[in-house]
Amino acid sequence: MASTGLVACGESAAHLRTPAHKPLPARTALPAPVALDPAPLPAPLLVPASIRELSIDGLDPLIARAIDRGELPGCVIAIGDRAGVRWLEAYGQRSAGEPMTVDTRFDLASLTKPIATAASIMSLAERGRVKMEATAFSYLRELAMPDKRRIRVSMLLLHTSGLPSVNVLADYEHGHAHAIAEIGREPLLSTPGSQFGYSDLNFILLGEIVARASGQALDQYAKERVFEPLGMHDTTYLPPASDVPRTAPTEERNGVAIRGVVDDPRAYRMGGVAGHAGLFSTAADIARFARMILGEGELEGARVMTRETVRNWIAHRPLGRSLGFDANTGYSQAKGKLFSARAIGHGGYTGTSLWIDPGRDLFVVLLSNRVHVGVKGTIHPLASSVADLAAHAQDREANQQERLETGIDVIAGEAFARLRGPAIALLTHEAARDRQGRSTLELLTREPSVNVRKILSPEHGLASNREGHIGDARYGEHGIVVHSLFGKKRRPSEDMLAGIGLVVIDLVDVGARFYTYMATALATIEAAAAAGIPVMVLDRPNPIGGDQVEGPVSEKAF
């Protein structure tokens, strides 16, 4: 059957999802949606305690503002590393009058893809039951059409099969087998392997491959080979009715809140178990999964997968994906900007996000039921901000342990001994400061043992608040001459360096090529070298890590 124009696979297409929630045919047995009692539901007898081992400044008010703006009713956040969970906290409400708790179980939506389906495929590959470069047709005879015989298992995992994002809901009204057959008849949108195109159909097929290669239904295989070995006891398809009170409600179906039943309309029509959606879990369980990834298949001393399997699983591939995870595509908005280039993750339409950074040994889980307050919007910006706060807290903790010191900290710690004697030309600005927030400009010009004779200023001036060409000026009570290197002259002249015995440079760059501070520093070093004057650079770390390549592509001439 021909595909529609719908693109309803992930939060970017949330507004296309609402019409899909019509009643399930009576012939399929699934739990009905559960009406929300206006009175608070009873809390479980034992609720796991919050964890706040990591000092994360700004996280609580960030979530509070998002809840106040109506972006989500509440959420649970888990942050940690391979050794354990460092932060576990619940915010807001599951629904009106019902507090969110850290043991809340969420409909993971598309987080099902990496946690259940990709994990099961990797397990089967490790056991020799599935081969990544085998054709999907060798497992699914429904893919017999000539254009689909070229689709490989790895292409399904990487979303490069060429299949459309979704197909019409009518294809799911006549049972599981009919749904798989209809996917086999969908026309491809691109040649297999040539383009990235996120598709629920890829993972619906992968879920069926798990079943046929293992001889077990996807939910059973994932439970026995992934969830139970990892101690993920709150992770399941088709949660029992007894767990409904602590399950976060999502959208409405027939005017009743969906709770404890999968929100995704295709997974719903497939009986609640599918490769692309249907999994329920808690933040603590997802943290165990993330720790296994960071431990390269090992969790708390027990090996669940081989190191080689996990490395192959999370390795970045062309077109911005790994085998089941996102890495660097248009779906990566929830990734922290401070995360390393090795980070992988995934999101879910209901308001779920998981990002794992092996380069940092850090994971961030944010589980919400944001669709309960409306299907418009996304949690991606919020999840990205949470990830950056976590990374910043991790960096701050590491710096306190290792005492990272910038050049000005080292010089000040030596009582400026290396600067005593020569007349100095200082290239700096107000942004350059020590650990205590004091500017290099102030420290060196007020230090009696240091002879700052001239000051050189970069683009934006000493105060970093000017635009365009800036003329010369004077600074401080002694009227030290300030020469602008972003005026008529872009490098120090012989006159500027006359009588100078040492050039000191302390500039705060932002790690972006189009900033001119690096060019100004280089021009100053070249001018000093030509004049035979030594240069001391007070070094600083790149604030964005220096290991990410992004942004506009340079012209060939540069």
Side-chain angles (χ1 to χ4, degrees):
M1 182 172 287
S3 173
T4 67
L6 291 178
V7 184
C9 53
E11 294 191 41
S12 60
H15 61 287
L16 298 175
R17 293 290 300 277
T18 307
H21 297 292
K22 65 180 189 176
L24 189 70
R27 60 180 173 273
T28 305
L30 260 183
V34 177
L36 293 178
D37 192 319
L41 290 167
L45 294 177
L46 180 63
V47 177
S50 298
I51 299 172
R52 287 175 172 254
E53 290 181 7
L54 195 61
S55 177
I56 308 180
D57 296 337
L59 180 54
D60 291 350
L62 174 72
I63 302 301
R65 287 194 298 270
I67 293 172
D68 289 343
R69 290 193 297 264
E71 296 175 10
L72 68 170
C75 64
V76 180
I77 294 174
I79 299 167
D81 50 36
R82 74 183 65 188
V85 176
R86 306 288 309 283
W87 185 278
L88 178 64
E89 188 60 271
Y91 299 87
Q93 299 180 322
R94 286 195 283 247
S95 63
E98 183 182 340
M100 188 72 76
T101 57
V102 293
D103 66 337
T104 298
R105 184 180 262 162
F106 292 86
D107 180 338
L108 297 183
S110 285
L111 271 186
T112 301
K113 292 178 172 75
I115 295 172
T117 311
S120 295
I121 289 287
M122 298 309 298
S123 169
L124 287 165
E126 184 171 284
R127 298 171 60 203
R129 305 289 290 274
V130 169
K131 297 186 181 300
M132 291 294 171
E133 296 313 310
T135 64
F137 169 70
S138 63
Y139 303 97
L140 303 175
R141 293 296 167 177
E142 291 89 344
L143 303 181
M145 293 180 67
D147 61 340
K148 296 182 183 63
R149 289 195 179 213
R150 298 170 58 185
I151 298 173
R152 301 185 183 279
V153 173
S154 60
M155 295 176 187
L156 297 175
L157 286 162
L158 295 168
H159 293 290
T160 59
S161 69
L163 283 164
S165 58
V166 292
N167 54 349
V168 295
L169 286 174
D171 290 351
Y172 297 82
E173 301 287 8
H174 304 288
H176 186 91
H178 179 80
I180 300 298
E182 287 300 313
I183 295 174
R185 285 188 275 270
E186 282 288 319
L188 297 185
L189 302 182
S190 59
T191 303
S194 66
Q195 297 181 30
F196 166 72
Y198 184 88
S199 170
D200 283 356
L201 305 188
N202 289 324
F203 274 76
I204 292 174
L205 294 179
L206 285 166
E208 186 65 13
I209 289 175
V210 170
R212 298 188 190 182
S214 68
Q216 294 178 278
L218 170 62
D219 57 333
Q220 287 301 312
Y221 186 87
K223 178 181 179 181
E224 292 181 13
R225 294 284 179 169
V226 181
F227 308 146
E228 288 183 348
L230 287 174
M232 296 169 63
H233 303 304
D234 272 330
T235 304
T236 185
Y237 286 91
L238 304 173
S242 59
D243 281 350
V244 167
R246 67 180 176 107
T247 301
T250 52
E251 299 178 76
E252 289 189 353
R253 190 178 281 138
N254 298 333
V256 179
I258 302 169
R259 188 167 195 162
V261 180
V262 63
D263 184 273
D264 182 271
R266 290 166 182 82
Y268 180 56
R269 284 161 172 76
M270 295 179 75
V273 177
H276 71 297
L279 197 65
F280 288 76
S281 190
T282 62
D285 266 17
I286 304 305
R288 296 187 67 80
F289 177 85
R291 290 173 56 204
M292 180 274 290
I293 296 291
L294 291 173
E296 296 189 318
E298 184 176 310
L299 178 65
E300 297 176 350
R303 180 153 295 281
V304 180
M305 291 186 182
T306 67
R307 182 174 288 107
E308 293 71 21
T309 293
V310 176
R311 287 178 178 176
N312 184 45
W313 185 3
I314 67 175
H316 289 203
R317 312 299 170 100
L319 304 180
R321 299 284 300 191
S322 73
L323 295 173
F325 289 100
D326 197 42
N328 187 26
T329 72
Y331 292 82
S332 304
Q333 301 99 321
K335 178 173 67 172
K337 295 178 178 61
L338 299 180
F339 274 31
S340 80
R342 295 179 61 196
I344 56 168
H346 215 287
Y349 164 77
T350 51
T352 59
S353 174
L354 165 65
W355 277 88
I356 306 168
D357 188 353
R360 278 186 165 273
D361 186 22
L362 176 68
F363 69 82
V364 176
V365 179
L366 191 160
L367 301 184
S368 80
N369 55 334
R370 61 112 195 157
V371 293
H372 192 54
V373 294
V375 296
K376 293 183 179 180
T378 174
I379 65 158
H380 290 331
L382 177 64
S384 178
S385 296
V386 171
D388 281 336
L389 288 176
H392 182 66
Q394 185 190 51
D395 288 344
R396 186 173 62 246
E397 182 178 77
N399 292 344
Q400 289 172 351
Q401 292 171 352
E402 300 173 10
R403 191 168 175 82
L404 175 68
E405 295 184 324
T406 63
I408 186 61
D409 293 311
V410 173
I411 291 296
E414 299 172 348
F416 308 101
R418 283 191 256 187
L419 300 184
R420 295 174 189 168
I424 292 172
L426 173 63
L427 170 57
T428 191
H429 52 176
E430 287 283 357
R433 294 176 177 270
D434 70 356
R435 290 173 62 90
Q436 300 176 51
R438 300 172 298 182
S439 72
T440 296
L441 188 64
E442 180 181 343
L443 282 170
L444 298 190
T445 55
R446 293 188 178 183
E447 171 56 42
S449 65
V450 177
N451 179 18
V452 176
R453 187 76 56 84
K454 296 180 180 179
I455 298 171
L456 309 175
S457 69
E459 183 180 4
H460 307 304
L462 285 181
S464 301
N465 63 355
R466 302 278 298 278
E467 290 292 340
H469 297 299
I470 300 171
D472 294 345
R474 290 186 177 272
Y475 172 80
E477 57 185 294
H478 300 298
I480 304 172
V481 176
V482 180
H483 294 290
S484 172
L485 299 185
F486 202 77
K488 295 180 180 179
K489 296 181 180 180
R490 297 298 178 94
R491 63 176 56 230
S493 63
E494 291 183 7
D495 291 342
M496 291 181 195
L497 298 179
I500 296 300
L502 175 67
V503 174
V504 176
I505 300 175
D506 191 3
L507 294 174
V508 179
D509 196 27
V510 298
R513 178 171 179 165
F514 50 80
Y515 266 64
T516 58
Y517 299 147
M518 292 285 283
T520 299
L522 177 60
T524 300
I525 291 170
E526 291 172 342
I533 301 172
V535 177
M536 178 183 294
V537 178
L538 304 184
D539 56 349
R540 293 178 176 275
N542 187 323
I544 60 173
D547 59 353
Q548 298 185 65
V549 179
E550 56 187 353
V553 177
S554 300
E555 297 176 21
K556 289 184 178 180
F558 303 107

